[in-house]
Amino acid sequence: MGQKRGGDEILNECVVFLHGLGRSGFSLRKMEKFFAAAGYSTLNITYPSTGHRIETLVEAFVGPHLQAPAMAGFAKIHFVTHSLGGIIVRFFLQRRRIENLGRVVMLAPPNQGSKLADVLSGWGLFNLACGPALKEFTTGAASAVRKLKPVDFELGVITGDVSLNPLFSYLIGESSDGKVSLNEARAEGMKDFLVVGRSHTFIMRAPEVMEAAKKFIETGKF
């Protein structure tokens, strides 16, 4: 299962990629190619993020890929996620164990819920476009995200502080990437945290973000 990573070294490790709300695996394709070039096996999962609640997305669409027999053959399984993809991983790992789990890098995750989701979930058009998962990462105590336990795996979070949407920035009311604030990206139990000058939409395509993600996967720090 391993692939070469420079010279004759065989790296028997897989990086799983999970995209954000309303996106597809294509949004992480550049990141996937970057890790593949470094010798990692890759699994870039596309799931119907706007069609179901988070629990259904985990159990019916993402979980079966992660529990496939072939995954047990890797020495380590790592994750690189964007936005909602990070919440999907937390939900999965709170319910299932991955014995060969490596490290996890989350890009712009709403780990504390999202103030923007608080507002947009009350707007009919956004509810229709974003689907039932949108209401599950609001900031209220009843939010599905806020009910998650602290992470108990090696987690590094990268988030941005550049917004491309002045209205969303105003609604968030603090430093953010235009969708998720810096504080909302943090997770209790995370090992490292990095802020970059990038926006929510395109953070995964930034060269310095790809390098930082790879460094964390390899060393456990940015």
Side-chain angles (χ1 to χ4, degrees):
M1 283 187 170
Q3 296 183 13
K4 292 184 179 180
R5 180 176 65 177
D8 296 323
E9 182 182 1
I10 300 298
L11 183 65
N12 186 30
E13 300 181 16
C14 181
V15 181
V16 178
F17 299 88
L18 288 170
H19 61 82
L21 185 65
R23 309 290 286 273
S24 73
F26 183 77
S27 65
L28 288 166
R29 182 64 177 135
K30 186 174 181 179
M31 180 80 79
E32 180 189 9
K33 289 181 177 179
F34 175 80
F35 274 91
Y40 290 89
S41 294
T42 61
L43 175 61
N44 192 349
I45 301 173
T46 291
Y47 60 97
S49 59
T50 61
H52 304 274
R53 295 174 59 245
I54 293 174
E55 183 176 4
T56 302
L57 294 173
V58 171
E59 297 296 335
F61 298 98
V62 175
H65 290 282
L66 302 180
Q67 295 176 289
M71 300 301 283
F74 291 106
K76 292 291 182 182
I77 296 175
H78 309 284
F79 289 87
V80 175
T81 70
H82 178 232
S83 196
L84 175 61
I87 306 305
I88 295 291
V89 169
R90 289 185 64 187
F91 263 79
F92 180 85
L93 293 178
Q94 189 167 293
R95 291 159 174 77
R96 306 277 194 278
R97 287 191 61 82
I98 296 180
E99 297 299 333
N100 51 348
L101 180 64
R103 298 186 174 106
V104 178
V105 175
M106 295 182 183
L107 310 179
N111 277 316
Q112 302 298 324
S114 165
K115 292 178 183 176
L116 186 61
D118 291 347
V119 177
L120 298 186
S121 64
W123 296 359
L125 181 61
F126 278 95
N127 266 321
L128 181 64
C130 297
L134 179 64
K135 290 184 176 180
E136 294 190 289
F137 54 89
T138 53
T139 62
S143 163
V145 173
R146 296 298 299 273
K147 293 180 180 179
L148 288 170
K149 298 176 183 178
V151 299
D152 59 357
F153 49 86
E154 288 191 81
L155 169 64
V157 173
I158 306 175
T159 197
D161 61 1
V162 173
S163 174
L164 302 178
N165 191 315
L167 174 59
F168 285 0
S169 296
Y170 172 78
L171 293 173
I172 295 169
E174 58 184 303
S175 184
S176 74
D177 63 3
K179 298 286 181 65
V180 176
S181 76
L182 271 59
N183 289 325
E184 291 168 345
R186 296 179 179 274
E188 186 178 354
M190 67 182 181
K191 189 172 182 181
D192 207 350
F193 186 77
L194 177 66
V195 179
V196 296
R198 299 289 177 172
S199 69
H200 189 90
T201 304
F202 301 112
I203 189 171
M204 76 292 285
R205 299 181 62 83
E208 72 274 18
V209 171
M210 289 188 279
E211 290 287 354
K214 179 171 171 286
K215 183 178 179 182
F216 187 88
I217 293 295
E218 293 175 350
T219 69
K221 59 183 179 181
F222 293 125

